[in-house]
Amino acid sequence: MGRRPARCYRYCKNKPYPKSRFCRGVPDSKIRIYDLGRKKALVDEFPLCVHLVSDEYEQLSSEALEAGRICANKYLVKHCGKDAFHMRIRLHPFHVLRINKMLSCAGADRLQTGMRGAFGKACGTVARVNIGQPILSVRTKVANEASVVEALRRAKFKFPGRQKIFISKRWGFTKFDRPEYERLKSEGRLIPDGVGVQYLREHGPLKRWVDLQ
C-alpha cells in the first residue's frame, strides 16, 4: 500500500502525538539536515536575513520540508556559491501520523474487522506550523538579497498553503536590528558567539566594566 497524499494530513485536527515510549515503531523522518551552506560563518560575515513564513495553521510533512530544503539549496549554490549563505530549517517534524490500514483484495472482508481496533499505526511525521511561524531562514551578504528571495519563492511551491517572504531588520540570526547591532558592537557590548552574539549588560562585575574601558 503506497503513501497517502499529504492533503489527507494537512490540517491540525488532533492533539500533538510525538514519538515516545508509548508511540513506538515510528518511521524515520525524511529530513535529516537542518543547516546548510557555510553554517560556521561568524556572525559579522552575513548581515542580511530572509525568512519564509507560514501564513496558515497547518501540518507540513517531512517530505515537503526535505523537498523545500533541496530546492532552495540548489538555487542558492548555483547563484551565490556554496559558501555565500547559511540556510536553516526552522521546523522539526515531531508529530506522528497514523493510518488504519484496510485490505482491498478479494476476500478481505473475512480478514479485516472494520472499525474494531481502529487506532492506526504510525506511518510518517509532520511539523505543526502556526500563522507567522518561520519555516526557512537564510543569512547571507546584502548583495545576495535578490537570489535568496528567488530561492525561497521557489521553495514555496513545495509546501501546501500560503507562505510569505520577509526580509528581516535583524542582523543575521541575532535579535538585534542592524543599526543597533553596529552601535553595540562599536561600544564593545557584543561578544561573537558562533552564529549569534552574547550581549554584555550594564550590570555585572566591576572588573568586566574596567576591561571594556
Side-chain angles (χ1 to χ4, degrees):
M1 189 171 178
R3 186 181 152 265
R4 278 185 185 169
R7 64 172 175 267
C8 303
Y9 298 107
R10 183 176 160 188
Y11 299 110
C12 296
K13 291 181 186 175
N14 305 318
K15 294 174 184 172
Y17 184 57
K19 184 177 173 180
S20 66
R21 66 179 196 272
F22 312 109
C23 168
R24 299 183 306 276
V26 178
D28 286 338
S29 168
K30 286 287 180 288
I31 184 165
R32 285 294 188 188
I33 300 168
Y34 293 88
D35 281 276
L36 300 106
R38 192 147 69 93
K39 51 189 178 236
K40 291 190 175 178
L42 296 176
V43 66
D44 290 332
E45 295 182 51
F46 293 151
L48 179 74
C49 184
V50 185
H51 303 291
L52 179 67
V53 177
S54 173
D55 203 26
E56 290 192 27
Y57 176 58
E58 60 179 354
Q59 298 183 157
L60 298 179
S61 68
S62 62
E63 288 89 350
L65 290 172
E66 174 71 356
R69 176 187 77 84
I70 291 170
C71 177
N73 184 51
K74 271 189 180 171
Y75 189 89
L76 287 170
V77 167
K78 185 175 177 184
H79 290 83
C80 302
K82 64 183 175 61
D83 291 332
F85 69 95
H86 173 201
M87 181 164 72
R88 179 172 281 173
I89 313 297
R90 304 285 297 275
L91 300 177
H92 285 64
F94 288 133
H95 180 73
V96 178
L97 301 177
R98 298 190 297 262
I99 183 169
N100 180 25
K101 277 191 180 169
M102 292 284 193
L103 299 170
S104 58
C105 55
D109 50 336
R110 291 167 177 268
L111 303 173
Q112 67 190 22
T113 53
M115 289 303 287
R116 180 181 296 174
F119 193 86
K121 296 274 188 293
C123 70
T125 53
V126 293
R128 292 160 71 92
V129 57
N130 270 302
I131 296 171
Q133 186 173 346
I135 301 170
L136 291 172
S137 294
V138 183
R139 66 186 182 114
T140 183
K141 293 183 168 69
V142 177
N144 296 330
E145 181 180 318
S147 297
V148 171
V149 169
E150 174 62 15
L152 294 184
R153 189 192 71 82
R154 291 180 178 218
K156 279 165 65 170
F157 293 115
K158 307 296 178 187
F159 300 120
R162 283 177 307 184
Q163 292 81 34
K164 291 183 177 174
I165 297 168
F166 288 103
I167 296 165
S168 176
K169 295 178 183 175
R170 308 270 190 250
W171 181 288
F173 290 162
T174 67
K175 63 181 181 180
F176 301 105
D177 289 354
R178 275 182 247 171
E180 187 186 8
Y181 179 92
E182 287 167 344
R183 178 180 62 80
L184 291 171
K185 193 181 175 214
S186 65
E187 292 172 8
R189 304 281 296 282
L190 298 177
I191 302 174
D193 185 24
V195 301
V197 285
Q198 291 180 13
Y199 173 60
L200 296 178
R201 301 182 186 284
E202 291 171 344
H203 299 272
L206 182 64
K207 182 180 179 305
R208 194 178 72 190
W209 180 82
V210 170
D211 291 343
L212 286 173
Q213 301 310 306

